[in-house]
Amino acid sequence: MSQQPPVEFERMRPGQIRTCRELADIAFLPLGALEWHGLQAPVGTDGLKSHDICCRAARKLGGGAVFPPVYHGLPGDSFFMGITDPPDGEKIAAVYGTETERFFGFGRHGGMDVQEQWLAYQRLLRMSLETIARFGFRSIYICSGHNPLVHWAKPVAVAFARASSMAGQAVTVDVGGEFDAAGLDGDHGGKWETSLMQAAAPETVDLAELDRHPELCGWAHGADAVDATAEQGEAWAEACAEAIAAEARWLVENYPQLPKRHGHWR
């Protein structure tokens, strides 16, 4: 029985990279944050679920490649669901077995302030797009599993698309959250994210943790996480992947155009 060719870029040989581009000349770049998602789910939930959805989309598309999620370099500011704010931070620090003060970073002691951190993160994204384009991909779909990152990724996508066009090697870039294309809505560590993780990597989820610590059930994450199921996660992941695959197919077939909603980018 023949194996399906990989869709994960890092697993591909050069010939497979060429073939995947010939089938659908598009790369997927998942984004995620390493953060608290409740006791029941892994800290890498954002990138893991967006990567899984992108892999599903590539398989539905019949081509293209999924790059590893970009996790590191994300500024530790208020987007982290109150982790840096006492007393919430104190509770999370106690679970991790560390000190609340560490959540604040070292900006006050010679480290980068939040604005510098965001600029550094956007440079990291810019270089990630450059890396992908160097392998010949003409379109890139950025899929964020940490929804606030969409707002920071969009200007990077605009600048990169313009620079590539000026160089005579246009790269079209689309940006969205994992659920945007499907018209759905997510949550933070609740039924949505926990269900998606049960479908993507069931070994990483343990709902029994919520039973063992009822005092933390629903704290700093969705209380409806107890209702999460792999079946629901599978249905949501498939819906998101189907919609993203459709948007990716449009990019491939209409290169170098962008969807009307993004026409002003160029």
Side-chain angles (χ1 to χ4, degrees):
M1 186 175 179
S2 61
Q3 271 191 326
Q4 290 276 341
V7 295
E8 302 93 334
F9 182 81
E10 69 274 18
R11 294 177 177 271
M12 293 182 182
R13 298 185 297 275
Q16 291 174 313
I17 294 172
R18 177 169 184 162
T19 297
C20 87
R21 287 187 53 241
E22 289 172 346
L23 294 171
D25 198 347
I26 188 166
F28 298 87
L29 179 63
L31 304 182
L34 295 172
E35 63 171 347
W36 170 272
H37 284 90
L39 289 170
Q40 80 287 355
V43 295
T45 289
D46 292 337
L48 290 170
K49 59 187 170 66
S50 60
H51 183 269
D52 176 65
I53 288 171
C54 286
C55 287
R56 292 169 185 258
R59 294 188 186 102
K60 292 179 183 297
L61 190 62
V66 182
F67 277 68
V70 175
Y71 274 116
H72 297 290
L74 191 64
D77 66 357
S78 59
F79 283 155
F80 282 82
M81 305 299 170
I83 288 178
T84 56
D85 299 326
D88 291 350
E90 295 171 4
K91 293 181 180 180
I92 289 183
V95 175
Y96 285 144
T98 187
E99 305 85 17
T100 311
E101 186 68 17
R102 286 186 177 270
F103 289 141
F104 289 91
F106 310 117
R108 293 173 290 176
H109 305 284
M112 292 193 299
D113 63 28
V114 172
Q115 183 177 8
E116 289 175 312
Q117 290 176 31
W118 277 115
L119 289 173
Y121 180 71
Q122 289 184 307
R123 292 189 185 104
L124 174 62
L125 288 185
R126 172 65 174 77
M127 290 309 299
S128 298
L129 297 178
E130 182 83 31
T131 298
I132 294 172
R134 283 176 177 174
F135 284 99
F137 290 95
R138 300 193 305 176
S139 293
I140 302 172
Y141 194 104
I142 300 175
C143 179
S144 179
H146 184 67
N147 196 52
L149 293 179
V150 170
H151 307 294
W152 295 95
K154 280 183 178 179
V156 177
V158 172
F160 181 73
R162 287 174 176 165
S164 67
S165 181
M166 290 171 64
Q169 302 179 54
V171 178
T172 55
V173 188
D174 203 352
V175 184
E178 69 205 18
F179 46 73
D180 289 338
L184 299 173
D185 198 5
D187 60 29
H188 175 69
K191 183 177 179 180
W192 170 269
E193 289 198 312
T194 306
S195 294
L196 286 176
M197 283 309 304
Q198 286 176 310
E203 73 282 1
T204 67
V205 179
D206 186 3
L207 292 180
E209 288 278 12
L210 299 175
D211 294 329
R212 287 190 282 269
H213 299 278
E215 73 281 5
L216 293 178
C217 182
W219 176 80
H221 66 274
D224 61 351
V226 295
D227 300 322
T229 66
E231 292 76 19
Q232 180 64 80
E234 186 70 23
W236 279 334
E238 283 293 295
C240 291
E242 190 70 46
I244 288 174
E247 292 198 344
R249 187 174 291 108
W250 192 97
L251 289 173
V252 172
E253 293 176 353
N254 293 276
Y255 174 87
Q257 297 181 59
L258 282 170
K260 289 183 178 179
R261 67 183 186 283
H262 296 154
H264 63 284
W265 284 13
R266 299 289 293 278

